[in-house]
């Protein structure tokens, strides 16, 4: 029982606040005001959102044992909210609008109050839509009652990313799959570079699995910021002073590599909680994580603290002290093509559904077995079973899982070469494997593991505590920018029910090419690593691509808590769940249904494309949410052929949709006197190798099949092709004499050069209209 008290002392104290025994605590009060403002962060005045007039907002400072009273004033003309990230507080004050807390209406002030039961570095941010990207974030520091660490001064470093675009436009761009961000960042991998590197085979492997490549980050940012600046100086620190850096990644979608220009920076805490101090320079910080370092200001010169965006697309620096710069290590840009080659060599299956056919059917284990690195997680489980004599029986399909484990273990032993990757992977999670296999470490993701974090105290739960296991495969689809768990986005999922006084163990199995920093509200969880019983406690855990991480926490809260990817665009794309103790809803939430929060992740996004070329003009309008899409297509050829088509599509899963609509065409060329309307219905399918297929039948019983594809050949330069074949067996129409059928072929090939985010030059040859060139405008 002692173990439990140590590891969850901060957790169990939270319950006291529920009891309301807070009268004697000293009150610390803040008022913060959220406003819209024109800001200029990087060469352009744009609309941003400020807290007390600044981005980031003010540092809120507390001492453990105080009672926080925070008034949040909304002076904007839209709703807002504030979530206190990493704080253990009553559910009602957690600040997720419509889930735990009412939204803050325009012109209103909301009072948050809670006892401060912990110490460390935390932060706060809006939990409404993408407001955090616009500037609604700030830091929280909580001093311990008694100082436990030795340092002279401290400095908060709030890291973030900045876009000059409206964040909703950014998301719309991701939804429509605009190539521009990758081009702008220089992280796109056009075919010429792939071929030059001899990686065409790997590219084919990716295409076959409907993946373009190894995407690292989605959004183009013109600037990355430290405390709101791309470069910031702190000359006030004197040589020899020990400074505690409280570093917070408040980026909306950027994780960073941090490097220090001083010798031996000492990492002392993670996500607010002290860890066994460790000297460590280059460190990866996932979105929403916090790390505290103690650095010594050099005797001569100023030390650089440098952050490099994970995809290498930009940096920012802070300088501490005065004099000559002591530079921090420069982190090279990741080699995406190299990663693609490595991944293609591994026995790995990509393309797990982000939107599956039957969302209510639990197929998580099947999905795990079918996709990802061959056998990785299962074998790991088997290896881990001897340590944990916990109750596995609660896991649904546990038996099936054990069976598959045995199978995969057998196959491993039978073909060691073939499953080297998987063995390495296991070894990474479990050092005992090292001696067993004697294989080299897998270098693809090993730099992202948390083995450097060790809790000063045991964090395990008492033996015999019941354990509920939950498997969450992290799933995503870059084509439609849908993000989900187990192939089910938030809008199609039920709450995950958990219970108090038992351990919930969640296996996060990433089946995508991207990192996902997963955050659980209202709890600290153990991140199981090589330190076993001393595994660290965190509130946010980064799960690298195709990797598996296990977390567990003891249930001693009440209410419904959000659990989601902290990449805001992934959260908005559906990668979230509600973890529920199934306690009755708070009556103060009456009139604020959770369905409103859920609907934020299933919005319609609309966009259009105008192709104005010398031989024809085409306009295409699309409005799309998770499952539904409306399309309007109008085409006018200069031989005076006017055709319009309006269709509704329903996505049955990521790659397959059914559609129906009408097609309107002028009956004879050169004449708009008479139009003919026919009904069309069919299926649309994204095939392996990324071809778009359209198969249909119309109300005159003609069948048609169309196939299209676009490939980025050089930076900014793409080629495209389309082929359409229509067959009429004369079931309705009269055919020309002596013929069993009539056929018609239409094709089109062309090229596109990207001038900007919204404009391309294009040239094409169309089988009916001939050659032409013009502009493509995205809006
Ligand atoms: Cu994510």
């Amino acid at each position: 029982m002692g173990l439990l008290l140590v590891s969850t002392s901060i957790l169990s104290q939270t319950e006291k606040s529920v009891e309301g025994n807070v009268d004697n605590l000293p009150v610390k009060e803040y008022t913060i005001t959220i406003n819209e403002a024109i800001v200029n962060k990087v060469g352009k005045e744009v609309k941003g959102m400020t807290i007390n007039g600044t981005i980031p907002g003010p540092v809120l400072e507390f001492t453990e044992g105080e009672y926080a009273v925070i008034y949040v004033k909304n002076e904007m003309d839209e709703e807002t909210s504030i979530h206190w990230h990493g704080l253990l507080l009553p559910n009602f004050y957690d600040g997720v609008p419509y889930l735990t807390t009412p939204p803050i209406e325009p012109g209103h002030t909301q009072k948050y109050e809670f006892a401060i039961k912990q110490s460390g570095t935390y932060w706060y941010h809006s939990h409404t839509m993408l407001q955090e990207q616009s500037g609604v974030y700030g830091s929280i520091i909580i001093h311990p009652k008694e100082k436990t660490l030795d340092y002279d001064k401290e400095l908060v470093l709030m890291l973030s990313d900045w876009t000059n675009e409206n964040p909703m436009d950014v998301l719309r761009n991701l939804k429509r799959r605009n190539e521009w961000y990758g081009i702008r960042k220089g992280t796109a991998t056009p075919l010429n570079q792939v071929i030059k590197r001899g990686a065409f085979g790997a590219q084919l492997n990716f295409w076959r699995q409907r993946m373009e490549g190894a995407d690292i980050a989605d959004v183009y940012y013109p600037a990355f910021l430290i405390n709101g600046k791309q470069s910031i100086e702190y000359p006030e620190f004197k040589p020899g002073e020990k400074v505690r850096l409280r570093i917070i990644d408040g980026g909306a979608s950027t994780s960073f590599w941090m490097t220090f220009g001083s010798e031996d920076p000492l990492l002392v805490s993670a996500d607010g909680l002290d860890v066994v101090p460790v000297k460590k320079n280059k460190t990866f910080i996932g979105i929403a994580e916090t790390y505290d370092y103690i650095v010594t200001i050099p005797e001569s010169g100023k030390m650089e603290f440098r952050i490099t965006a994970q995809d290498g697309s930009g940096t920012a620096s802070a300088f501490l002290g005065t004099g000559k710069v002591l530079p921090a290590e420069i982190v090279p840009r990741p080699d995406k093509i190299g990663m693609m080659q490595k991944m293609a060599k591994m026995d790995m299956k990509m393309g797990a559904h982000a939107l599956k056919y039957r969302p209510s059917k639990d197929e998580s284990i099947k999905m795990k077995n079918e996709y990802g690195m061959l056998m990785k997680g299962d074998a790991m489980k088997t290896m881990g079973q001897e340590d944990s004599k916990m109750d596995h029986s609660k896991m649904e399909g546990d038996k099936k899982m054990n069976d598959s484990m045995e199978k995969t273990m057998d196959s491993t032993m039978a073909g060691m070469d073939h499953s080297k990757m998987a063995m390495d992977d296991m070894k990474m999670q479990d050092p005992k494997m090292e001696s067993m296999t004697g294989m080299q470490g897998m270098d693809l993701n090993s730099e992202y593991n948390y083995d450097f974090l060790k809790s000063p105290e045991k964090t395990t739960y008492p033996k015999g505590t019941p354990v509920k296991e939950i498997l969450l495969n992290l799933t995503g689809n870059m084509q439609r920018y849908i993000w989900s768990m187990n192939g089910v986005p938030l809008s199609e999922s039920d709450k995950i029910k958990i219970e108090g006084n038992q351990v919930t163990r969640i296996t996060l199995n990433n089946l995508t090419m991207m990192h996902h920093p997963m955050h659980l509200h209202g709890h600290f969880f153990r991140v199981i690593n090589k330190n076993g019983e001393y595994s660290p406690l965190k509130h946010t855990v980064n799960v690298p691509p195709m990797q598996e991480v296990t977390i567990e926490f003891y249930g001693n809260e009440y209410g419904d808590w959000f659990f989601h990817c902290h990449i805001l665009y992934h959260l908005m794309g559906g990668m979230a769940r509600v973890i529920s103790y199934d306690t009755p809803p708070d009556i103060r939430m009456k009139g604020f249904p959770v369905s409103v929060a859920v609907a934020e992740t299933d919005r319609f996004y609309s966009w259009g494309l105008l192709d104005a070329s010398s031989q024809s003009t085409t306009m295409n309008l699309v409005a799309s949410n998770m499952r539904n899409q409306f399309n309007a297509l109008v085409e006018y050829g200069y031989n005076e052929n006017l055709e319009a088509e309006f269709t509704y599509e329903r996505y049955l899963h990521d790659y397959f949709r059914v559609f129906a609509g009408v097609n309107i065409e002028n009956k004879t060329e050169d004449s708009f006197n008479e139009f003919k309307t026919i009904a069309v219905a069919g299926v649309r399918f994204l095939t392996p190798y990324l071809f778009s297929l359209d198969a249909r039948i119309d109300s005159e019983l003609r069948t048609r099949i169309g196939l299209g594809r676009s490939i980025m050949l050089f930076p900014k330069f793409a080629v495209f092709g389309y082929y359409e074949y229509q067959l009429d067996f004369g079931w309705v129409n009269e055919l020309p004499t002596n013929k069993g059928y009539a056929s018609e072929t239409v094709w089109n090939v062309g090229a596109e050069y990207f001038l900007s985010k919204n404009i391309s030059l294009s040239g094409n040859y169309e089988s009916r209209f001939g050659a032409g060139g013009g502009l493509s405008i995205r809006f």
Side-chain angles (χ1 to χ4, degrees), residues 515-517 565 567 570 575:
H515 293 252
H516 300 288
C565 176
I567 295 179
H570 290 186
M575 195 179 262

Side-chain angles (χ1 to χ4, degrees), residues 56 59 153-158 225-229 231-239 241 243 245 297 301-303 305 317-323:
V59 179
K153 290 183 176 165
E154 52 182 59
L155 175 67
V156 173
L157 297 170
M158 170 60 86
L225 308 174
I226 300 175
N227 291 345
K229 300 252 162 51
S231 177
I232 191 162
E233 302 267 345
Y234 294 96
E236 63 267 32
F237 296 112
K238 303 281 174 284
E241 277 181 342
V243 182
L245 302 177
I297 303 300
K302 56 181 174 187
M303 70 152 275
F305 166 74
S317 295
F319 299 92
L320 282 71
T322 51

Side-chain angles (χ1 to χ4, degrees), residues 583-645:
T583 41
D586 194 307
I587 51 161
R588 291 169 288 186
M589 291 304 291
K590 214 176 160 218
F592 303 102
V594 68
S595 56
V596 177
V598 171
E600 278 187 12
T601 64
D602 192 19
R603 290 166 60 97
F604 270 95
Y605 294 86
S606 49
W607 56 85
L609 179 70
L610 179 72
D611 270 317
S613 103
S614 54
Q615 88 290 44
S616 69
T617 299
T618 311
M619 182 148 85
N620 195 349
L621 300 172
V622 177
S624 177
N625 74 352
M626 284 288 173
R627 290 277 177 184
N628 308 293
Q629 187 162 311
F630 297 92
N631 306 287
L633 178 75
V634 181
E635 188 179 60
Y636 178 69
Y638 292 138
N639 63 353
E640 306 216 326
N641 179 303
L642 182 74
E643 187 178 349
E645 186 172 290

